[in-house]
Structure formats: structure tokens, C-alpha cells
Amino acid sequence: MNAQRFIVVGVDGSAASVGALIWAAEAAAASGAELHVVAAWLHDPLLDDLSIGRNVDEASAAHLAELESFVAETVKNPPATVRYSAPEGDAASMLIDRARNAALLVVGSHGKGMVRQALTGSVSTACLRRAACPVAVVPPRALAPESSLGRKVSDITGG
């Protein structure tokens, strides 16, 4: 990977996505690639707290601000260039679209929330099947407390 290349990582605040973000940031920093952090969301006040009382543009701005704060709190040694995107839409479709010309797409194996737990692995599975670039899925085992990545995630999530 060179400086013109980029790594896309999908985040949703879950422990799995914290692991994916840390792993992707380290890979981007080591390779000199840009890091593109994507947090897709749906404008639905029943499922999305940041949509309550906001129109799509306002909710989008809130999601982008939350994403930037989340990354600043999570990534201790960021790569030289980090770009943020909080598109409104289906997570898998948004990630696949954003990673069209990427060197790598990184996702966690599980999302957060009851609805996402019912669809465990649906985003990572869709990315593996449809992405035009290589996909790295951070598995639950990589987040185990005894692993290096697991310790980093635990330090951030308090779990």
C-alpha cells in the first residue's frame, strides 16, 4: 500500500467495531495509507437516538461529530490522514460503496443493538461477498482479553 491507497473501516460503537478501528488504524499507519472511517446510520427515531427531533441533515451532522469524537477517543496513534464519513443508509451498502477503490475494507464480526444482534454478521457477510477489495473481518477471538487487540479494546470500552 502506498500513500495514495486507503483503508476503509466500518464502525458502529460496538466492541467488535472498536477492534476493527484500532486494527485498521494500525494497518494504515504502518503502511502509509489513509484511513477512511465510516459510520452508516438510518434516520429512524425508533432505532437511532441521534435522529430524535432532527431532520436528516441535522442527524447527519450529529453522527459525523459523534464519529470524529469516537475516533479521537479510540485511536491513540492515528495515521497521517484520517477521513470521516457518516452516510445515511444501509451499513453494508455504504461500506461496499466507500471501499470501491480501497486497498482494504475492515469490519468487526458483530454489530451492536438488539436488531443488529438478530442479524449477527450480516454486514460482514455482505462485505465479504460484494466488496471489490480485500476484506478483513475482526473475529470475536481477536477481542479476547488475553489478546493484544482485546486488551486495547478493553482499555477503551471498560469491558
Side-chain angles (χ1 to χ4, degrees):
M1 279 181 258
N2 59 39
Q4 284 74 29
R5 302 288 286 179
F6 62 97
I7 294 172
V8 174
V9 59
V11 299
D12 65 2
S14 66
S17 78
V18 170
L21 175 59
I22 293 168
W23 192 89
E26 290 176 356
S31 67
E34 290 184 355
L35 180 65
H36 295 199
V37 185
V38 180
W41 58 281
L42 296 172
H43 190 258
D44 183 340
L46 295 176
L47 298 175
D48 177 38
D49 291 343
L50 294 179
S51 292
I52 297 171
R54 293 185 169 113
N55 65 34
V56 173
D57 291 338
E58 293 166 340
S60 181
H63 277 281
L64 190 58
E66 181 177 74
L67 176 61
E68 290 173 359
S69 176
F70 175 71
V71 172
E73 293 171 8
T74 304
V75 178
K76 303 305 177 203
N77 297 305
T81 303
V82 180
R83 300 188 191 281
Y84 304 92
S85 175
E88 196 272 338
D90 171 69
S93 296
M94 295 295 108
L95 288 167
I96 292 163
D97 179 62
R98 298 293 192 284
R100 190 176 320 114
N101 297 311
L104 181 65
L105 170 59
V106 182
V107 294
S109 61
H110 300 80
K112 72 174 191 175
M114 289 180 59
V115 172
R116 290 186 180 146
Q117 286 175 359
L119 301 172
T120 299
S122 62
V123 172
S124 57
T125 299
C127 290
L128 285 166
R129 288 184 178 163
R130 298 180 13 223
C133 67
V135 178
V137 178
V138 177
R141 184 174 175 181
L143 304 175
E146 63 274 7
S147 74
S148 173
L149 183 57
R151 286 189 297 275
K152 292 175 186 176
V153 171
S154 184
D155 288 345
I156 291 162
T157 64

